[in-house]
């Protein structure tokens, strides 16, 4: 029930790469927030793209569309360390299964601090802190 949901503060990193004209996640790490957090500076050029990509990912979670969330992840060379699982996920089937279970928690995330580092025009690393309602 809604009354049982609690905020979970976590840090995150996403490596995105443009594949076939679409932005795909090739690396995702999320873990519970440590006690001390420093302020991080944003890269102005790629920051709007990172925000748009996160919004798309978060909206798919809020819509409980596990297949849509999983489709945002790369199908090859994936490195995914999820927030609420001890598994190291490296394939599309495991990604889909993780999100099938995760969306049942009715997650919704809010970025509280973030940074974007560009790697050319077709890749960027988005890191920072977010809080999830689960």
């Amino acid at each position: 029930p809604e009354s049982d949901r609690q905020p979970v503060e976590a840090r995150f990193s996403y490596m995105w790469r443009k594949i076939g004209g679409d932005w795909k996640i090739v690396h995702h790490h999320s873990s519970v927030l440590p006690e001390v957090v420093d302020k991080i500076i944003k890269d102005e050029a790629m920051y709007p793209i990172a925000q748009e990509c996160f919004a798309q990912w978060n909206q798919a979670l809020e819509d409980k569309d596990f297949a849509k969330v999983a489709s945002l992840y790369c199908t090859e060379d994936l490195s995914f360390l999820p927030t609420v699982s001890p598994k190291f996920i490296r394939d599309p089937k495991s990604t889909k299964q993780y999100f099938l279970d995760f969306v049942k928690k009715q997650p919704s995330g809010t970025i509280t601090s973030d940074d974007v580092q560009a790697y050319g025009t077709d890749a960027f690393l988005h890191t920072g802190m977010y809080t999830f309602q689960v």
Side-chain angles (χ1 to χ4, degrees):
E2 185 68 28
S3 61
D4 291 342
R5 293 167 45 92
Q6 296 184 26
V8 175
E9 292 186 33
R11 54 191 168 177
F12 67 88
S13 63
Y14 296 89
M15 179 71 175
W16 295 80
R17 176 163 283 137
K18 195 171 260 190
I19 299 172
D22 296 320
W23 287 103
K24 299 286 186 177
I25 298 166
V26 295
H27 171 81
H28 174 191
H29 170 232
S30 182
S31 60
V32 176
L33 175 65
E35 291 188 26
V36 179
V37 179
D38 293 329
K39 179 121 177 121
I40 301 173
I41 300 170
K42 298 170 181 60
D43 177 297
E44 299 299 323
M46 293 299 270
Y47 189 72
I49 295 170
Q51 289 293 294
E52 182 181 325
C53 287
F54 177 81
Q56 181 182 10
W57 179 83
N58 195 48
Q59 187 62 56
L61 284 176
E62 289 178 0
D63 292 343
K64 300 181 192 92
D65 189 345
F66 71 93
K68 170 78 172 173
V69 179
S71 76
L72 294 172
Y73 287 75
C74 188
T75 57
E76 297 178 11
D77 299 324
L78 176 64
S79 173
F80 176 24
L81 301 167
T83 309
V84 294
S85 170
K87 295 181 178 177
F88 178 35
I89 296 175
R90 301 196 47 93
D91 63 272
K93 182 179 177 185
S94 299
T95 302
K96 193 177 274 190
Q97 183 60 52
Y98 171 77
F99 284 112
L100 174 64
D101 296 334
F102 189 60
V103 298
K104 292 174 185 173
K105 299 177 185 295
Q106 301 179 339
S108 176
T110 303
I111 293 175
T112 55
S113 176
D114 61 345
D115 181 38
V116 176
Q117 298 169 349
Y119 293 87
T121 58
D122 67 346
F124 64 89
L125 179 62
H126 190 194
T127 60
M129 307 297 293
Y130 50 25
T131 300
F132 263 91
Q133 291 290 336
V134 292

